[in-house]
Amino acid sequence: MFMIREILSYCIISAVCLLGMAVLYAPVCFLLRNWVPPAKQIAYFMFGACVIIVLAATVIVGASKTAAADRSLNLVPFQVFQETWGMPEPKKIAQTAANVVMFVPLGFMMPVAFRRMRSFGKTALSLALFSFVIEFTQYFTGRSADIDDLMLNTLGGILGYLIFFVVSKLFWKKRPRWTSRDYHRFVRKS
């Protein structure tokens, strides 16, 4: 029950932030409507909002000016499942789940917003690099940097990409590809 309550609180905070950003972005969307299609604007907005929420949750909130000796660095994979770090088991499970869930929207929205990111490899690598930058930054802002967080964030991004892949296969029609023969037939008819 604790884990559900903890993750639900993250989701509620994210939804409130998203709503606030949408209200602030609405005038910009209105002004750009003639230059950028609204569907593309929404995709860009959602991706940007996801990035901002992840950065706020991982880098900005909880950053402190601690001494270098107080910072922690874990480079041993899967230590999150072995150590308690003085954290009760439900809290540890909630943190682990949050690390995965937090990157699912990014894994989904990245290929929606950016056509060049529609391959699995590009999306997975980009999100792994983004997670690495977050962990690297966290070390210098007084939080812990953990290889397990990097792996769990990347797993969440991959799950988001898989959701994108399934949704795109189910709902988006592929446009027929034109061959040179089709082009020449079209030109002769015109």
Side-chain angles (χ1 to χ4, degrees):
M1 189 64 177
F2 173 80
M3 182 176 80
I4 293 170
R5 208 171 47 233
E6 185 82 13
I7 292 175
L8 190 58
S9 69
Y10 288 130
C11 292
I12 290 170
I13 291 169
S14 297
V16 169
C17 291
L18 186 63
L19 183 62
M21 287 185 281
V23 168
L24 293 174
Y25 183 72
V28 175
C29 182
F30 180 75
L31 292 173
L32 294 177
R33 72 185 183 284
N34 293 330
W35 293 285
V36 181
K40 205 60 155 162
Q41 283 192 54
I42 291 170
Y44 291 150
F45 169 77
M46 292 298 291
F47 177 74
C50 289
V51 168
I52 290 169
I53 290 169
V54 167
L55 288 175
T58 57
V59 178
I60 298 168
V61 175
S64 62
K65 297 178 181 177
T66 59
D70 294 336
R71 298 178 184 136
S72 65
L73 176 65
N74 172 32
L75 298 176
V76 179
F78 306 110
Q79 193 168 5
V80 69
F81 303 112
Q82 299 165 359
E83 297 289 327
T84 62
W85 294 296
M87 199 183 298
E89 192 69 25
K91 177 82 170 168
K92 188 169 75 166
I93 293 170
Q95 289 294 322
T96 302
N99 275 318
V100 174
V101 171
M102 175 173 48
F103 266 65
V104 171
L106 281 172
F108 180 82
M109 288 309 301
M110 184 176 276
V112 170
F114 305 105
R115 184 173 288 266
R116 291 184 178 179
M117 300 306 287
R118 295 217 170 137
S119 77
F120 173 78
K122 286 182 180 179
T123 300
L125 180 62
S126 297
L127 292 174
L129 288 172
F130 181 56
S131 180
F132 174 78
V133 169
I134 288 171
E135 293 302 318
F136 185 78
T137 305
Q138 279 182 336
Y139 180 75
F140 293 103
T141 59
R143 297 180 69 174
S144 65
D146 195 337
I147 187 93
D148 293 326
D149 290 353
L150 173 70
M151 293 185 314
L152 292 169
N153 293 160
T154 304
L155 174 65
I158 289 170
L159 290 174
Y161 178 83
L162 293 175
I163 293 168
F164 161 78
F165 183 77
V166 169
V167 168
S168 68
K169 291 297 179 191
L170 291 175
F171 296 108
W172 289 328
K173 295 178 183 177
K174 274 197 152 187
R175 294 183 189 137
R177 296 190 86 162
W178 279 42
T179 63
S180 61
R181 182 178 297 168
D182 294 331
Y183 174 76
H184 291 297
R185 282 186 204 154
F186 179 74
V187 171
R188 282 186 211 142
K189 288 181 183 178
S190 299

mmCIF file of all heavy atoms in Angstrom, residues 130-176:
data_model
loop_
_atom_site.group_PDB
_atom_site.id
_atom_site.type_symbol
_atom_site.label_atom_id
_atom_site.label_comp_id
_atom_site.label_asym_id
_atom_site.label_seq_id
_atom_site.Cartn_x
_atom_site.Cartn_y
_atom_site.Cartn_z
ATOM 1 N N PHE A 130 20.883 10.445 -21.287
ATOM 2 C CA PHE A 130 20.167 11.421 -20.465
ATOM 3 C C PHE A 130 20.199 10.993 -18.997
ATOM 4 O O PHE A 130 20.455 11.804 -18.110
ATOM 5 C CB PHE A 130 18.728 11.563 -20.972
ATOM 6 C CG PHE A 130 17.910 12.563 -20.216
ATOM 7 C CD1 PHE A 130 18.322 13.882 -20.092
ATOM 8 C CD2 PHE A 130 16.704 12.203 -19.651
ATOM 9 C CE1 PHE A 130 17.556 14.818 -19.407
ATOM 10 C CE2 PHE A 130 15.932 13.121 -18.961
ATOM 11 C CZ PHE A 130 16.356 14.431 -18.838
ATOM 12 N N SER A 131 19.969 9.715 -18.752
ATOM 13 C CA SER A 131 20.023 9.199 -17.379
ATOM 14 C C SER A 131 21.429 9.324 -16.807
ATOM 15 O O SER A 131 21.606 9.669 -15.632
ATOM 16 C CB SER A 131 19.562 7.740 -17.339
ATOM 17 O OG SER A 131 19.609 7.253 -16.024
ATOM 18 N N PHE A 132 22.440 9.076 -17.637
ATOM 19 C CA PHE A 132 23.827 9.207 -17.182
ATOM 20 C C PHE A 132 24.116 10.647 -16.772
ATOM 21 O O PHE A 132 24.740 10.901 -15.735
ATOM 22 C CB PHE A 132 24.802 8.762 -18.272
ATOM 23 C CG PHE A 132 26.237 9.013 -17.907
ATOM 24 C CD1 PHE A 132 26.907 8.172 -17.041
ATOM 25 C CD2 PHE A 132 26.906 10.125 -18.414
ATOM 26 C CE1 PHE A 132 28.219 8.419 -16.678
ATOM 27 C CE2 PHE A 132 28.217 10.379 -18.067
ATOM 28 C CZ PHE A 132 28.882 9.530 -17.196
ATOM 29 N N VAL A 133 23.665 11.602 -17.574
ATOM 30 C CA VAL A 133 23.876 13.019 -17.248
ATOM 31 C C VAL A 133 23.187 13.368 -15.932
ATOM 32 O O VAL A 133 23.739 14.091 -15.096
ATOM 33 C CB VAL A 133 23.387 13.919 -18.408
ATOM 34 C CG1 VAL A 133 23.337 15.379 -17.996
ATOM 35 C CG2 VAL A 133 24.275 13.745 -19.625
ATOM 36 N N ILE A 134 21.987 12.832 -15.721
ATOM 37 C CA ILE A 134 21.279 13.075 -14.462
ATOM 38 C C ILE A 134 22.076 12.510 -13.290
ATOM 39 O O ILE A 134 22.280 13.200 -12.284
ATOM 40 C CB ILE A 134 19.864 12.457 -14.511
ATOM 41 C CG1 ILE A 134 18.971 13.277 -15.433
ATOM 42 C CG2 ILE A 134 19.254 12.381 -13.107
ATOM 43 C CD1 ILE A 134 17.626 12.631 -15.705
ATOM 44 N N GLU A 135 22.521 11.274 -13.391
ATOM 45 C CA GLU A 135 23.267 10.651 -12.293
ATOM 46 C C GLU A 135 24.583 11.389 -12.041
ATOM 47 O O GLU A 135 24.985 11.588 -10.893
ATOM 48 C CB GLU A 135 23.526 9.169 -12.584
ATOM 49 C CG GLU A 135 22.275 8.322 -12.598
ATOM 50 C CD GLU A 135 21.497 8.364 -11.301
ATOM 51 O OE1 GLU A 135 22.110 8.310 -10.213
ATOM 52 O OE2 GLU A 135 20.255 8.458 -11.364
ATOM 53 N N PHE A 136 25.243 11.789 -13.103
ATOM 54 C CA PHE A 136 26.494 12.541 -12.986
ATOM 55 C C PHE A 136 26.247 13.859 -12.258
ATOM 56 O O PHE A 136 26.990 14.240 -11.352
ATOM 57 C CB PHE A 136 27.067 12.783 -14.393
ATOM 58 C CG PHE A 136 28.406 13.451 -14.396
ATOM 59 C CD1 PHE A 136 29.557 12.733 -14.125
ATOM 60 C CD2 PHE A 136 28.521 14.810 -14.685
ATOM 61 C CE1 PHE A 136 30.802 13.350 -14.143
ATOM 62 C CE2 PHE A 136 29.753 15.436 -14.701
ATOM 63 C CZ PHE A 136 30.902 14.703 -14.423
ATOM 64 N N THR A 137 25.179 14.544 -12.642
ATOM 65 C CA THR A 137 24.825 15.818 -12.018
ATOM 66 C C THR A 137 24.424 15.628 -10.561
ATOM 67 O O THR A 137 24.784 16.443 -9.706
ATOM 68 C CB THR A 137 23.686 16.494 -12.802
ATOM 69 O OG1 THR A 137 24.080 16.615 -14.166
ATOM 70 C CG2 THR A 137 23.361 17.864 -12.249
ATOM 71 N N GLN A 138 23.695 14.548 -10.285
ATOM 72 C CA GLN A 138 23.248 14.297 -8.913
ATOM 73 C C GLN A 138 24.433 14.168 -7.955
ATOM 74 O O GLN A 138 24.351 14.605 -6.817
ATOM 75 C CB GLN A 138 22.404 13.021 -8.838
ATOM 76 C CG GLN A 138 20.992 13.227 -9.262
ATOM 77 C CD GLN A 138 20.160 11.960 -9.129
ATOM 78 O OE1 GLN A 138 20.682 10.853 -9.135
ATOM 79 N NE2 GLN A 138 18.868 12.131 -9.025
ATOM 80 N N TYR A 139 25.495 13.585 -8.419
ATOM 81 C CA TYR A 139 26.667 13.422 -7.556
ATOM 82 C C TYR A 139 27.195 14.780 -7.096
ATOM 83 O O TYR A 139 27.595 14.950 -5.957
ATOM 84 C CB TYR A 139 27.758 12.636 -8.276
ATOM 85 C CG TYR A 139 28.983 12.440 -7.423
ATOM 86 C CD1 TYR A 139 28.986 11.516 -6.389
ATOM 87 C CD2 TYR A 139 30.127 13.202 -7.639
ATOM 88 C CE1 TYR A 139 30.092 11.343 -5.589
ATOM 89 C CE2 TYR A 139 31.241 13.038 -6.844
ATOM 90 C CZ TYR A 139 31.225 12.107 -5.826
ATOM 91 O OH TYR A 139 32.325 11.940 -5.023
ATOM 92 N N PHE A 140 27.160 15.757 -7.997
ATOM 93 C CA PHE A 140 27.705 17.071 -7.667
ATOM 94 C C PHE A 140 26.689 18.000 -7.002
ATOM 95 O O PHE A 140 27.043 19.088 -6.566
ATOM 96 C CB PHE A 140 28.298 17.732 -8.913
ATOM 97 C CG PHE A 140 29.508 16.999 -9.405
ATOM 98 C CD1 PHE A 140 29.426 16.173 -10.513
ATOM 99 C CD2 PHE A 140 30.715 17.097 -8.736
ATOM 100 C CE1 PHE A 140 30.536 15.481 -10.955
ATOM 101 C CE2 PHE A 140 31.830 16.405 -9.168
ATOM 102 C CZ PHE A 140 31.744 15.589 -10.282
ATOM 103 N N THR A 141 25.430 17.574 -6.934
ATOM 104 C CA THR A 141 24.425 18.373 -6.230
ATOM 105 C C THR A 141 24.117 17.806 -4.856
ATOM 106 O O THR A 141 23.148 18.216 -4.220
ATOM 107 C CB THR A 141 23.120 18.468 -7.049
ATOM 108 O OG1 THR A 141 22.600 17.164 -7.276
ATOM 109 C CG2 THR A 141 23.334 19.215 -8.345
ATOM 110 N N GLY A 142 24.914 16.877 -4.397
ATOM 111 C CA GLY A 142 24.750 16.355 -3.048
ATOM 112 C C GLY A 142 23.854 15.141 -2.931
ATOM 113 O O GLY A 142 23.532 14.714 -1.837
ATOM 114 N N ARG A 143 23.434 14.586 -4.035
ATOM 115 C CA ARG A 143 22.618 13.371 -4.003
ATOM 116 C C ARG A 143 23.486 12.197 -4.405
ATOM 117 O O ARG A 143 24.643 12.346 -4.767
ATOM 118 C CB ARG A 143 21.434 13.520 -4.941
ATOM 119 C CG ARG A 143 20.511 14.651 -4.500
ATOM 120 C CD ARG A 143 19.350 14.811 -5.395
ATOM 121 N NE ARG A 143 18.445 13.666 -5.261
ATOM 122 C CZ ARG A 143 17.272 13.586 -5.859
ATOM 123 N NH1 ARG A 143 16.865 14.556 -6.621
ATOM 124 N NH2 ARG A 143 16.503 12.542 -5.702
ATOM 125 N N SER A 144 22.933 11.021 -4.362
ATOM 126 C CA SER A 144 23.728 9.848 -4.716
ATOM 127 C C SER A 144 23.669 9.605 -6.218
ATOM 128 O O SER A 144 22.666 9.860 -6.866
ATOM 129 C CB SER A 144 23.206 8.614 -3.970
ATOM 130 O OG SER A 144 21.913 8.296 -4.391
ATOM 131 N N ALA A 145 24.760 9.114 -6.753
ATOM 132 C CA ALA A 145 24.830 8.686 -8.144
ATOM 133 C C ALA A 145 24.912 7.167 -8.129
ATOM 134 O O ALA A 145 25.740 6.593 -7.427
ATOM 135 C CB ALA A 145 26.048 9.288 -8.831
ATOM 136 N N ASP A 146 24.043 6.508 -8.877
ATOM 137 C CA ASP A 146 23.900 5.072 -8.760
ATOM 138 C C ASP A 146 23.751 4.427 -10.134
ATOM 139 O O ASP A 146 22.897 4.838 -10.921
ATOM 140 C CB ASP A 146 22.664 4.785 -7.901
ATOM 141 C CG ASP A 146 22.599 3.366 -7.393
ATOM 142 O OD1 ASP A 146 23.213 2.476 -7.994
ATOM 143 O OD2 ASP A 146 21.911 3.159 -6.376
ATOM 144 N N ILE A 147 24.554 3.421 -10.398
ATOM 145 C CA ILE A 147 24.472 2.693 -11.666
ATOM 146 C C ILE A 147 23.127 1.988 -11.796
ATOM 147 O O ILE A 147 22.593 1.835 -12.892
ATOM 148 C CB ILE A 147 25.648 1.693 -11.829
ATOM 149 C CG1 ILE A 147 25.652 1.072 -13.232
ATOM 150 C CG2 ILE A 147 25.564 0.571 -10.820
ATOM 151 C CD1 ILE A 147 26.505 1.786 -14.186
ATOM 152 N N ASP A 148 22.555 1.585 -10.651
ATOM 153 C CA ASP A 148 21.247 0.927 -10.681
ATOM 154 C C ASP A 148 20.168 1.885 -11.171
ATOM 155 O O ASP A 148 19.273 1.490 -11.916
ATOM 156 C CB ASP A 148 20.883 0.384 -9.295
ATOM 157 C CG ASP A 148 21.794 -0.747 -8.869
ATOM 158 O OD1 ASP A 148 22.226 -1.523 -9.746
ATOM 159 O OD2 ASP A 148 22.085 -0.863 -7.667
ATOM 160 N N ASP A 149 20.244 3.140 -10.747
ATOM 161 C CA ASP A 149 19.289 4.138 -11.236
ATOM 162 C C ASP A 149 19.421 4.308 -12.743
ATOM 163 O O ASP A 149 18.421 4.410 -13.457
ATOM 164 C CB ASP A 149 19.499 5.488 -10.552
ATOM 165 C CG ASP A 149 19.083 5.480 -9.092
ATOM 166 O OD1 ASP A 149 18.507 4.473 -8.644
ATOM 167 O OD2 ASP A 149 19.344 6.487 -8.405
ATOM 168 N N LEU A 150 20.639 4.335 -13.227
ATOM 169 C CA LEU A 150 20.889 4.435 -14.666
ATOM 170 C C LEU A 150 20.238 3.268 -15.401
ATOM 171 O O LEU A 150 19.547 3.449 -16.401
ATOM 172 C CB LEU A 150 22.394 4.477 -14.948
ATOM 173 C CG LEU A 150 22.824 4.410 -16.402
ATOM 174 C CD1 LEU A 150 22.462 5.693 -17.125
ATOM 175 C CD2 LEU A 150 24.309 4.157 -16.491
ATOM 176 N N MET A 151 20.432 2.059 -14.887
ATOM 177 C CA MET A 151 19.861 0.873 -15.541
ATOM 178 C C MET A 151 18.333 0.878 -15.461
ATOM 179 O O MET A 151 17.658 0.554 -16.442
ATOM 180 C CB MET A 151 20.429 -0.400 -14.909
ATOM 181 C CG MET A 151 21.907 -0.594 -15.180
ATOM 182 S SD MET A 151 22.619 -2.141 -14.596
ATOM 183 C CE MET A 151 21.999 -2.321 -12.959
ATOM 184 N N LEU A 152 17.781 1.259 -14.308
ATOM 185 C CA LEU A 152 16.332 1.273 -14.148
ATOM 186 C C LEU A 152 15.684 2.366 -15.001
ATOM 187 O O LEU A 152 14.627 2.147 -15.593
ATOM 188 C CB LEU A 152 15.966 1.453 -12.673
ATOM 189 C CG LEU A 152 16.316 0.272 -11.763
ATOM 190 C CD1 LEU A 152 16.167 0.665 -10.300
ATOM 191 C CD2 LEU A 152 15.472 -0.941 -12.091
ATOM 192 N N ASN A 153 16.332 3.539 -15.079
ATOM 193 C CA ASN A 153 15.821 4.611 -15.944
ATOM 194 C C ASN A 153 15.815 4.158 -17.402
ATOM 195 O O ASN A 153 14.832 4.379 -18.121
ATOM 196 C CB ASN A 153 16.670 5.863 -15.819
ATOM 197 C CG ASN A 153 16.585 6.541 -14.468
ATOM 198 O OD1 ASN A 153 17.464 7.309 -14.110
ATOM 199 N ND2 ASN A 153 15.545 6.278 -13.708
ATOM 200 N N THR A 154 16.897 3.530 -17.830
ATOM 201 C CA THR A 154 16.988 3.057 -19.215
ATOM 202 C C THR A 154 15.933 1.988 -19.482
ATOM 203 O O THR A 154 15.301 1.985 -20.544
ATOM 204 C CB THR A 154 18.401 2.523 -19.510
ATOM 205 O OG1 THR A 154 19.354 3.552 -19.207
ATOM 206 C CG2 THR A 154 18.547 2.120 -20.962
ATOM 207 N N LEU A 155 15.712 1.099 -18.518
ATOM 208 C CA LEU A 155 14.661 0.092 -18.649
ATOM 209 C C LEU A 155 13.297 0.759 -18.814
ATOM 210 O O LEU A 155 12.499 0.358 -19.663
ATOM 211 C CB LEU A 155 14.651 -0.836 -17.434
ATOM 212 C CG LEU A 155 13.516 -1.856 -17.375
ATOM 213 C CD1 LEU A 155 13.633 -2.850 -18.520
ATOM 214 C CD2 LEU A 155 13.521 -2.577 -16.039
ATOM 215 N N GLY A 156 13.026 1.796 -18.036
ATOM 216 C CA GLY A 156 11.766 2.531 -18.177
ATOM 217 C C GLY A 156 11.629 3.158 -19.549
ATOM 218 O O GLY A 156 10.559 3.118 -20.157
ATOM 219 N N GLY A 157 12.717 3.737 -20.059
ATOM 220 C CA GLY A 157 12.698 4.311 -21.404
ATOM 221 C C GLY A 157 12.431 3.258 -22.463
ATOM 222 O O GLY A 157 11.687 3.494 -23.420
ATOM 223 N N ILE A 158 13.018 2.092 -22.297
ATOM 224 C CA ILE A 158 12.804 0.991 -23.246
ATOM 225 C C ILE A 158 11.348 0.532 -23.194
ATOM 226 O O ILE A 158 10.730 0.282 -24.234
ATOM 227 C CB ILE A 158 13.784 -0.160 -22.958
ATOM 228 C CG1 ILE A 158 15.203 0.260 -23.368
ATOM 229 C CG2 ILE A 158 13.369 -1.442 -23.670
ATOM 230 C CD1 ILE A 158 16.296 -0.689 -22.914
ATOM 231 N N LEU A 159 10.788 0.433 -21.991
ATOM 232 C CA LEU A 159 9.374 0.060 -21.869
ATOM 233 C C LEU A 159 8.487 1.096 -22.559
ATOM 234 O O LEU A 159 7.522 0.748 -23.246
ATOM 235 C CB LEU A 159 8.980 -0.085 -20.402
ATOM 236 C CG LEU A 159 9.564 -1.282 -19.665
ATOM 237 C CD1 LEU A 159 9.204 -1.211 -18.185
ATOM 238 C CD2 LEU A 159 9.087 -2.584 -20.271
ATOM 239 N N GLY A 160 8.812 2.376 -22.392
ATOM 240 C CA GLY A 160 8.062 3.431 -23.072
ATOM 241 C C GLY A 160 8.159 3.312 -24.577
ATOM 242 O O GLY A 160 7.174 3.490 -25.297
ATOM 243 N N TYR A 161 9.358 2.988 -25.074
ATOM 244 C CA TYR A 161 9.532 2.808 -26.518
ATOM 245 C C TYR A 161 8.708 1.619 -27.010
ATOM 246 O O TYR A 161 8.098 1.683 -28.084
ATOM 247 C CB TYR A 161 10.999 2.609 -26.893
ATOM 248 C CG TYR A 161 11.155 2.373 -28.366
ATOM 249 C CD1 TYR A 161 11.206 3.447 -29.245
ATOM 250 C CD2 TYR A 161 11.194 1.091 -28.897
ATOM 251 C CE1 TYR A 161 11.295 3.248 -30.611
ATOM 252 C CE2 TYR A 161 11.281 0.878 -30.260
ATOM 253 C CZ TYR A 161 11.337 1.959 -31.108
ATOM 254 O OH TYR A 161 11.414 1.757 -32.466
ATOM 255 N N LEU A 162 8.699 0.540 -26.234
ATOM 256 C CA LEU A 162 7.917 -0.635 -26.637
ATOM 257 C C LEU A 162 6.424 -0.309 -26.702
ATOM 258 O O LEU A 162 5.721 -0.783 -27.591
ATOM 259 C CB LEU A 162 8.186 -1.806 -25.697
ATOM 260 C CG LEU A 162 9.599 -2.384 -25.768
ATOM 261 C CD1 LEU A 162 9.788 -3.464 -24.712
ATOM 262 C CD2 LEU A 162 9.911 -2.919 -27.157
ATOM 263 N N ILE A 163 5.949 0.519 -25.780
ATOM 264 C CA ILE A 163 4.558 0.958 -25.830
ATOM 265 C C ILE A 163 4.324 1.778 -27.103
ATOM 266 O O ILE A 163 3.329 1.589 -27.802
ATOM 267 C CB ILE A 163 4.185 1.768 -24.569
ATOM 268 C CG1 ILE A 163 4.209 0.853 -23.337
ATOM 269 C CG2 ILE A 163 2.818 2.430 -24.725
ATOM 270 C CD1 ILE A 163 4.132 1.592 -22.015
ATOM 271 N N PHE A 164 5.259 2.684 -27.410
ATOM 272 C CA PHE A 164 5.166 3.461 -28.652
ATOM 273 C C PHE A 164 5.113 2.538 -29.861
ATOM 274 O O PHE A 164 4.288 2.717 -30.766
ATOM 275 C CB PHE A 164 6.360 4.414 -28.790
ATOM 276 C CG PHE A 164 6.572 4.888 -30.198
ATOM 277 C CD1 PHE A 164 5.777 5.891 -30.731
ATOM 278 C CD2 PHE A 164 7.544 4.312 -30.995
ATOM 279 C CE1 PHE A 164 5.955 6.315 -32.044
ATOM 280 C CE2 PHE A 164 7.726 4.730 -32.306
ATOM 281 C CZ PHE A 164 6.928 5.733 -32.834
ATOM 282 N N PHE A 165 5.969 1.537 -29.891
ATOM 283 C CA PHE A 165 6.054 0.614 -31.026
ATOM 284 C C PHE A 165 4.729 -0.119 -31.218
ATOM 285 O O PHE A 165 4.209 -0.199 -32.332
ATOM 286 C CB PHE A 165 7.203 -0.376 -30.799
ATOM 287 C CG PHE A 165 7.415 -1.318 -31.939
ATOM 288 C CD1 PHE A 165 8.055 -0.896 -33.090
ATOM 289 C CD2 PHE A 165 6.973 -2.630 -31.867
ATOM 290 C CE1 PHE A 165 8.250 -1.759 -34.155
ATOM 291 C CE2 PHE A 165 7.150 -3.498 -32.917
ATOM 292 C CZ PHE A 165 7.796 -3.066 -34.068
ATOM 293 N N VAL A 166 4.166 -0.636 -30.135
ATOM 294 C CA VAL A 166 2.896 -1.363 -30.219
ATOM 295 C C VAL A 166 1.778 -0.423 -30.670
ATOM 296 O O VAL A 166 0.991 -0.768 -31.564
ATOM 297 C CB VAL A 166 2.562 -2.027 -28.861
ATOM 298 C CG1 VAL A 166 1.142 -2.554 -28.838
ATOM 299 C CG2 VAL A 166 3.548 -3.145 -28.566
ATOM 300 N N VAL A 167 1.704 0.759 -30.067
ATOM 301 C CA VAL A 167 0.655 1.722 -30.429
ATOM 302 C C VAL A 167 0.802 2.140 -31.889
ATOM 303 O O VAL A 167 -0.189 2.231 -32.625
ATOM 304 C CB VAL A 167 0.696 2.949 -29.491
ATOM 305 C CG1 VAL A 167 -0.169 4.090 -30.012
ATOM 306 C CG2 VAL A 167 0.256 2.556 -28.091
ATOM 307 N N SER A 168 2.032 2.361 -32.337
ATOM 308 C CA SER A 168 2.227 2.791 -33.723
ATOM 309 C C SER A 168 1.837 1.688 -34.702
ATOM 310 O O SER A 168 1.295 1.974 -35.764
ATOM 311 C CB SER A 168 3.670 3.235 -33.961
ATOM 312 O OG SER A 168 4.553 2.140 -33.882
ATOM 313 N N LYS A 169 2.073 0.447 -34.355
ATOM 314 C CA LYS A 169 1.679 -0.658 -35.240
ATOM 315 C C LYS A 169 0.164 -0.841 -35.262
ATOM 316 O O LYS A 169 -0.398 -1.213 -36.281
ATOM 317 C CB LYS A 169 2.344 -1.972 -34.795
ATOM 318 C CG LYS A 169 3.831 -1.999 -35.015
ATOM 319 C CD LYS A 169 4.170 -1.896 -36.469
ATOM 320 C CE LYS A 169 5.664 -1.913 -36.669
ATOM 321 N NZ LYS A 169 6.068 -1.561 -38.016
ATOM 322 N N LEU A 170 -0.488 -0.568 -34.148
ATOM 323 C CA LEU A 170 -1.934 -0.757 -34.071
ATOM 324 C C LEU A 170 -2.734 0.383 -34.693
ATOM 325 O O LEU A 170 -3.769 0.155 -35.310
ATOM 326 C CB LEU A 170 -2.370 -0.926 -32.611
ATOM 327 C CG LEU A 170 -1.939 -2.206 -31.911
ATOM 328 C CD1 LEU A 170 -2.340 -2.169 -30.446
ATOM 329 C CD2 LEU A 170 -2.552 -3.420 -32.592
ATOM 330 N N PHE A 171 -2.279 1.632 -34.517
ATOM 331 C CA PHE A 171 -3.120 2.768 -34.865
ATOM 332 C C PHE A 171 -2.636 3.627 -36.014
ATOM 333 O O PHE A 171 -3.439 4.329 -36.615
ATOM 334 C CB PHE A 171 -3.322 3.665 -33.633
ATOM 335 C CG PHE A 171 -4.067 2.961 -32.541
ATOM 336 C CD1 PHE A 171 -3.404 2.557 -31.397
ATOM 337 C CD2 PHE A 171 -5.412 2.695 -32.668
ATOM 338 C CE1 PHE A 171 -4.084 1.911 -30.387
ATOM 339 C CE2 PHE A 171 -6.104 2.050 -31.663
ATOM 340 C CZ PHE A 171 -5.435 1.652 -30.516
ATOM 341 N N TRP A 172 -1.365 3.660 -36.274
ATOM 342 C CA TRP A 172 -0.885 4.548 -37.318
ATOM 343 C C TRP A 172 -0.737 3.774 -38.614
ATOM 344 O O TRP A 172 -0.048 2.762 -38.677
ATOM 345 C CB TRP A 172 0.441 5.194 -36.933
ATOM 346 C CG TRP A 172 0.274 6.206 -35.860
ATOM 347 C CD1 TRP A 172 -0.797 7.000 -35.633
ATOM 348 C CD2 TRP A 172 1.220 6.519 -34.836
ATOM 349 N NE1 TRP A 172 -0.597 7.796 -34.553
ATOM 350 C CE2 TRP A 172 0.639 7.529 -34.036
ATOM 351 C CE3 TRP A 172 2.486 6.066 -34.524
ATOM 352 C CZ2 TRP A 172 1.292 8.072 -32.958
ATOM 353 C CZ3 TRP A 172 3.133 6.618 -33.443
ATOM 354 C CH2 TRP A 172 2.533 7.614 -32.671
ATOM 355 N N LYS A 173 -1.364 4.322 -39.661
ATOM 356 C CA LYS A 173 -1.281 3.685 -40.965
ATOM 357 C C LYS A 173 0.047 4.048 -41.607
ATOM 358 O O LYS A 173 0.509 5.172 -41.512
ATOM 359 C CB LYS A 173 -2.416 4.168 -41.868
ATOM 360 C CG LYS A 173 -3.776 3.761 -41.392
ATOM 361 C CD LYS A 173 -4.822 4.319 -42.330
ATOM 362 C CE LYS A 173 -6.206 3.993 -41.830
ATOM 363 N NZ LYS A 173 -7.238 4.576 -42.665
ATOM 364 N N LYS A 174 0.607 3.079 -42.282
ATOM 365 C CA LYS A 174 1.824 3.365 -43.039
ATOM 366 C C LYS A 174 1.422 3.951 -44.381
ATOM 367 O O LYS A 174 0.507 3.479 -45.030
ATOM 368 C CB LYS A 174 2.631 2.084 -43.269
ATOM 369 C CG LYS A 174 3.555 1.752 -42.165
ATOM 370 C CD LYS A 174 4.550 0.752 -42.670
ATOM 371 C CE LYS A 174 5.822 0.923 -41.889
ATOM 372 N NZ LYS A 174 6.881 0.128 -42.397
ATOM 373 N N ARG A 175 2.133 4.969 -44.753
ATOM 374 C CA ARG A 175 1.893 5.539 -46.080
ATOM 375 C C ARG A 175 2.565 4.645 -47.103
ATOM 376 O O ARG A 175 3.674 4.164 -46.887
ATOM 377 C CB ARG A 175 2.501 6.938 -46.161
ATOM 378 C CG ARG A 175 1.828 7.908 -45.258
ATOM 379 C CD ARG A 175 2.425 9.286 -45.445
ATOM 380 N NE ARG A 175 1.926 10.155 -44.426
ATOM 381 C CZ ARG A 175 2.658 11.010 -43.755
ATOM 382 N NH1 ARG A 175 3.934 11.125 -44.010
ATOM 383 N NH2 ARG A 175 2.122 11.769 -42.836
ATOM 384 N N PRO A 176 1.900 4.437 -48.220
ATOM 385 C CA PRO A 176 2.543 3.605 -49.248
ATOM 386 C C PRO A 176 3.782 4.311 -49.798
ATOM 387 O O PRO A 176 3.786 5.526 -49.981
ATOM 388 C CB PRO A 176 1.465 3.454 -50.329
ATOM 389 C CG PRO A 176 0.491 4.554 -50.066
ATOM 390 C CD PRO A 176 0.599 4.901 -48.613
#
